[in-house]
């Protein structure tokens, strides 16, 4: 079945450091890919998405590119802030759009 | 309005109680979802409603009973829960099930504790 694998956390960075969170997926067909973020005590919110190969999603300085050849959707940000501290979930939506499958989540701590 | 609201925010209930969780959205979305999230884990899908009809039940125990009275409202009725059911319960909505590439909008969740 479809699955998402993302790097184990927690990831601890200093402010203004470069961030990469790796995400790879296994799916039949052509899934849509998402990054969701969950701040403490809140629900999930969409960070960015891509619906086809080579699409780049971007939002609030975060970027991820849908790479079909490597089945990856790695999240990057050039300069993190303390306010980026949260849990990040990579997710795929199956080809029929019926279900969203989440990765295990990566907790990010950013120190001032 | 891109908000999904959930009430109550916190709920403590005994194993013999009956309670309900409520979720509301006014975005015109026709798909609504219940998820269960344990600490430090991703959300686990429980139920999906599409056009007010139950579309997916992920083999959830019958002590959880969903209801979708109209296109804006989703309830989760709870009865005879176990302590291991303690978790954050998240509601979400999206344009419609089967709409490829459309994200889900999540509510803030109800933190449930079963004593």
């Amino acid at each position: 079945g479809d699955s998402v694998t993302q790097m184990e956390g927690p990831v601890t960075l200093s402010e203004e450091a470069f961030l990469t969170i790796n995400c790879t997926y296994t799916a039949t067909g052509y899934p849509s890919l998402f990054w969701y973020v969950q701040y403490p005590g809140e629900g999930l919110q969409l960070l960015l998405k891509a619906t086809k190969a080579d699409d780049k999603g971007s939002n609030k300085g975060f970027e991820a590119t849908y790479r079909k050849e490597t089945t990856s959707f790695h999240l990057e940000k050039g300069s993190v802030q303390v306010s980026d501290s949260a849990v990040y979930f990579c997710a795929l939506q199956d080809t029929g759009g019926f279900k969203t499958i989440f990765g295990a989540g990566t907790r990010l701590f950013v120190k001032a | 309005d891109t908000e999904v609201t959930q009430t109550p925010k916190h709920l403590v209930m005994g194993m013999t109680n009956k309670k309900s969780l409520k979720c509301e959205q006014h975005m015109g979305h026709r798909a609504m979802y219940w998820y269960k999230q344990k600490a430090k884990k991703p959300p686990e899908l429980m139920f999906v409603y599409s056009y007010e009809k139950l579309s997916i039940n992920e083999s959830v125990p019958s002590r959880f009973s969903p209801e979708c009275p109209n296109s804006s409202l989703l309830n989760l009725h709870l009865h005879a829960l176990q302590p291991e059911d303690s978790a954050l319960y998240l509601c979400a909505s999206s344009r419609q099930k089967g709409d490829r590439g459309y994200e889900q909008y999540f509510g803030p969740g109800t933190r449930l504790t079963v004593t």
Side-chain angles (χ1 to χ4, degrees):
Chain A
D2 295 352
S3 65
V4 175
T5 302
Q6 59 182 108
M7 61 189 288
E8 294 281 330
V11 173
T12 302
L13 296 173
S14 297
E15 209 165 22
E16 299 184 4
F18 185 85
L19 169 70
T20 300
I21 301 177
N22 291 336
C23 171
T24 56
Y25 68 90
T26 303
T28 54
Y30 302 94
S32 298
L33 301 174
F34 303 83
W35 278 101
Y36 286 88
V37 59
Q38 186 173 30
Y39 297 101
E42 298 184 12
L44 281 70
Q45 54 185 273
L46 178 72
L47 183 57
L48 52 84
K49 68 179 182 183
T51 58
K52 61 183 188 297
D54 300 324
D55 265 3
K56 178 188 278 190
S58 61
N59 185 27
K60 299 181 183 178
F62 290 90
E63 292 183 341
T65 301
Y66 190 142
R67 300 282 188 205
K68 196 168 190 312
E69 63 277 12
T70 53
T71 62
S72 65
F73 192 55
H74 304 321
L75 182 68
E76 296 182 338
K77 187 177 186 184
S79 176
V80 293
Q81 305 300 312
V82 172
S83 56
D84 294 326
S85 297
V87 180
Y88 292 81
F89 292 98
C90 184
L92 73 80
Q93 184 187 63
D94 65 8
T95 305
F98 296 157
K99 286 187 184 181
T100 297
I101 295 163
F102 292 90
T106 301
R107 186 171 297 271
L108 170 67
F109 293 103
V110 180
K111 302 181 298 184
Chain B
D1 181 8
T2 57
E3 192 180 23
V4 176
T5 59
Q6 290 188 243
T7 54
K9 198 170 174 61
H10 299 277
L11 178 63
V12 179
M13 61 186 289
M15 289 190 283
T16 57
N17 291 159
K18 284 186 181 182
K19 297 285 185 184
S20 297
L21 310 184
K22 179 179 169 182
C23 172
E24 202 160 2
Q25 58 87 13
H26 296 287
M27 294 178 278
H29 290 171
R30 303 313 299 267
M32 296 186 77
Y33 310 75
W34 280 116
Y35 288 89
K36 174 182 178 180
Q37 186 180 26
K38 300 284 267 187
K40 299 187 179 181
K41 296 290 186 184
E44 298 171 37
L45 183 65
M46 299 174 72
F47 303 103
V48 181
Y49 272 83
S50 177
Y51 289 90
E52 294 105 72
K53 288 190 178 359
L54 184 63
S55 178
I56 296 176
N57 176 342
E58 291 286 277
S59 303
V60 179
S62 60
R63 57 185 185 270
F64 295 91
S65 175
E67 179 196 20
C68 191
N70 59 57
S71 60
S72 300
L73 193 54
L74 185 66
N75 297 320
L76 186 63
H77 302 298
L78 314 172
H79 173 56
L81 294 193
Q82 304 297 309
E84 59 265 28
D85 296 322
S86 298
L88 181 68
Y89 287 84
L90 294 166
C91 174
S93 69
S94 65
R95 272 184 29 159
Q96 57 189 25
K97 185 170 77 70
D99 239 5
R100 194 168 174 281
Y102 285 97
E103 64 273 20
Q104 294 179 27
Y105 291 77
F106 285 82
T110 293
R111 175 77 58 191
L112 174 67
T113 303
V114 182
T115 60

